[in-house]
Amino acid sequence: MKFTIHQRYITLAQVLILPLAITFSSCKKLIEIPANPNDKVSTPRVFSDSLNVLGALTGIYATFGTGGFGGSINTGYTSIYTSLASDELVALNPDEFNTNAIQVTSGTVSQIWRSAYAGIYQCNAFIEGLAASNSVSASFRQQVTGEVLTARSLYYFHLVNQFGDVPIITGTDFKVNALEKRMPADSVYGFILKDLTSAAGMLKVQYPSPGRMRPNLHVVRALLAKVYLYRGAWQQAADLSGQIIQSGTYELVEPSKTFLDGSKEALWQMPSLSTFAGIVDAMSLVPWSNTIAPNYYLSSYLTDAFEANDLRKQAWLSLNNVVSGTTTTPYYYPGKYKKTDVYATPLEGYMFFRLSEQYLINAEALAKLNQLDAARLSLNKVRNRAGLLNTTAVSQEEVLAAIEKERFTELFAEQGNRWYDLKRIGKITSVLGARKTGFTATDALFPIPLNEINTNINMTQNPGY
């Protein structure tokens, strides 16, 4: 990863504390602790006691960018740009992601990449700094380390799914990091599994703070289940998702309440940490007026995928009818998050993992194991919550097709799920090739930013760019 000259000399304390400037001025904080001066905190002091460590941890979560504009690879960048690249969103104006003609000089691709490695660096700095401190208890050290390993795993999960082979950065030495080469995707997944396995041994089922804003053991299991599903480890995916479902901690709620702050469906949900703006997805997707066309609207492929009387279509699809002369054009756009005002009630929370996804992971893994009755049971939980009847799928092929369709309507414009799904099940070229002009197999990966190629002699480009 590359940094400017002044960034090379940034202190560990600055890396961990600077993101708190906005967080501490917000009325909604992850952790209630006193703020330290942003530019006068020594590294030892950051890890001098549990309160300061929690401040550094809050800085890591603040970097996710759950509120305001843009976000990070863990939030808005992924939800919006992978949706444009797939068959979920259509851009009102020409867009390189929507046409799958992304340039290596793309500023957006560069922002996605940099947001990931800046977040990873912050996690690495936290782990290193905490390891060198003897000022906190062993149990507290274990808890916060498990949280940061989970956060780092999420960064790498999105990186490997968007860029393929990527550098695995584990330290804070800029000279070393700047020349790291890309590692095979299999190695990246192996690293993610190692981090998550460690985190699973550190976290408890109880959440470490009020609400579900910081990860617990079930959050680790959720990401593990997802990784195992992507890797074709069906039994592990079924077992882990099953543990979450059977825990009794979470429950499916009606679609209109799913994304509200404090949702009982949420495994990991974080409020907007912006002082002025709502959830990052809403800031980019909700038009400023109900009489204009949204910048990004839902494709007919998605809207047509909803069955009649599907409660999700009513709750999660917002509609602007735009009048031009005697013509009225309906534009549906994502309405999972609706509030652009951070203080508007009922409050919303950014969803990283929720129970319905675990039901669908469970259903798919069981179907792959040919346990079709159990697979249909999990699938029907999601369908019934949406007001739909049980699936009519019978054979394994039919059940898997039904799950694929259900993931499309349940998880649209959310954490890159559709884009990732089409790739992992081997359908991205056939589906998008039929639905989008000029789509080719090499479009399944984003390009490595040109600046990364130019400043790292060991960096290579993805095919097709």
Side-chain angles (χ1 to χ4, degrees):
M1 175 181 183
K2 277 64 63 182
F3 291 81
T4 60
I5 294 299
H6 75 276
Q7 286 176 310
R8 290 180 183 274
Y9 296 96
I10 194 168
T11 66
L12 175 61
Q14 287 174 313
V15 168
L16 294 169
I17 299 297
L18 277 172
L20 298 181
I22 294 176
T23 306
F24 284 128
S25 61
S26 171
C27 69
K28 295 187 293 186
K29 304 186 183 77
L30 285 170
I31 309 162
E32 295 288 344
I33 57 176
N36 291 315
N38 289 330
D39 59 353
K40 298 179 180 179
V41 186
S42 65
T43 299
R45 182 179 170 186
V46 173
F47 301 98
S48 62
D49 57 47
S50 60
L51 289 180
N52 283 319
V53 171
L54 286 175
L57 180 63
T58 304
I60 288 174
Y61 293 140
T63 304
F64 279 21
T66 55
F69 294 95
S72 73
I73 198 172
N74 281 350
T75 53
Y77 286 152
T78 288
S79 293
I80 293 166
Y81 292 107
T82 62
S83 296
L84 285 167
S86 67
D87 54 356
E88 298 167 282
L89 286 180
V90 179
L92 186 66
N93 299 306
D95 182 277
E96 62 182 339
F97 284 85
N98 208 197
T99 58
N100 304 102
I102 306 169
Q103 301 300 304
V104 296
T105 54
S106 168
T108 300
V109 165
S110 183
Q111 289 174 329
I112 293 171
W113 178 278
R114 289 181 179 181
S115 76
Y117 280 106
I120 288 168
Y121 179 86
Q122 202 175 4
C123 292
N124 295 344
F126 183 97
I127 293 169
E128 287 183 3
L130 186 62
S133 171
N134 296 315
S135 302
V136 297
S137 68
S139 60
F140 178 78
R141 180 193 307 275
Q142 180 170 280
Q143 168 66 43
V144 295
T145 300
E147 291 183 53
V148 174
L149 290 174
T150 305
R152 187 167 71 177
S153 296
L154 186 61
Y155 279 117
Y156 276 113
F157 177 78
H158 288 305
L159 274 170
V160 74
N161 277 284
Q162 292 178 34
F163 296 96
D165 301 349
V166 294
I168 298 176
I169 306 295
T170 60
T172 57
D173 187 327
F174 286 110
K175 292 181 179 180
V176 173
N177 293 349
L179 296 176
E180 288 285 2
K181 65 180 181 179
R182 298 171 69 187
M183 299 300 291
D186 285 347
S187 298
V188 180
Y189 272 115
F191 181 75
I192 293 170
L193 288 172
K194 180 181 177 182
D195 264 4
L196 289 175
T197 301
S198 296
M202 298 176 178
L203 299 182
K204 302 176 181 179
V205 295
Q206 296 81 15
Y207 283 90
S209 61
R212 297 170 181 178
M213 298 178 288
R214 294 165 59 194
N216 69 347
L217 176 57
H218 288 314
V219 170
V220 177
R221 288 171 174 165
L223 185 49
L224 272 171
K226 193 167 188 171
V227 171
Y228 280 128
L229 184 79
Y230 280 43
R231 304 303 286 164
W234 313 124
Q235 192 63 61
Q236 292 94 322
D239 290 346
L240 287 161
S241 56
Q243 289 177 31
I244 296 167
I245 292 166
Q246 295 162 17
S247 71
T249 305
Y250 313 98
E251 61 185 73
L252 296 175
V253 300
E254 58 185 89
S256 62
K257 296 181 179 179
T258 298
F259 296 90
L260 297 183
D261 189 41
S263 170
K264 293 182 180 180
E265 188 172 330
L267 276 71
W268 191 8
Q269 184 187 44
M270 202 179 294
S272 167
L273 296 180
S274 169
T275 59
F276 66 90
I279 295 299
V280 59
D281 290 16
M283 297 304 296
S284 296
L285 296 172
V286 177
W288 59 267
S289 168
N290 60 10
T291 63
I292 66 171
N295 289 328
Y296 309 119
Y297 58 93
L298 295 173
S299 73
S300 59
Y301 301 112
L302 177 57
T303 57
D304 291 347
F306 286 92
E307 298 172 39
N309 302 316
D310 192 323
L311 298 177
R312 295 170 299 194
K313 187 171 183 178
Q314 302 171 33
W316 297 347
L317 272 61
S318 296
L319 174 64
N320 274 11
N321 285 305
V322 179
V323 179
S324 178
T326 59
T327 302
T328 299
T329 304
Y331 288 94
Y332 285 100
Y333 61 92
K336 290 180 174 179
Y337 305 104
K338 307 178 189 300
K339 307 293 192 335
T340 56
D341 181 351
V342 69
Y343 301 112
T345 57
L347 300 176
E348 298 175 331
Y350 192 92
M351 193 77 73
F352 294 100
F353 296 105
R354 55 192 180 96
L355 182 61
S356 64
E357 182 184 8
Q358 294 305 304
Y359 271 117
L360 292 173
I361 289 174
N362 189 255
E364 185 174 345
L366 290 170
K368 286 289 189 178
L369 293 168
N370 210 32
Q371 298 177 32
L372 300 182
D373 287 341
R376 282 189 288 265
L377 183 63
S378 286
L379 172 60
N380 287 334
K381 289 289 186 179
V382 178
R383 290 182 56 80
N384 296 163
R385 186 274 294 272
L388 302 175
L389 298 177
N390 289 348
T391 182
T392 58
V394 177
S395 68
Q396 183 185 48
E397 183 180 2
E398 291 172 341
V399 171
L400 287 170
I403 294 167
E404 179 187 339
K405 176 265 173 189
E406 208 65 40
R407 288 182 65 88
F408 193 22
T409 51
E410 177 71 24
L411 302 173
F412 72 90
E414 193 175 340
Q415 287 285 297
N417 281 295
R418 175 63 173 175
W419 179 248
Y420 300 169
D421 281 352
L422 288 174
K423 289 195 288 184
R424 70 179 178 84
I425 63 176
K427 290 187 176 181
I428 192 163
T429 303
S430 61
V431 171
L432 298 189
R435 295 180 173 183
K436 306 182 79 172
T437 302
F439 186 91
T440 63
T442 56
D443 294 330
L445 293 176
F446 295 163
I448 305 300
L450 181 61
N451 184 60
E452 305 299 317
I453 301 290
N454 290 341
T455 56
N456 180 353
I457 60 173
N458 296 316
M459 189 68 68
T460 58
Q461 185 57 271
N462 277 325
Y465 296 99

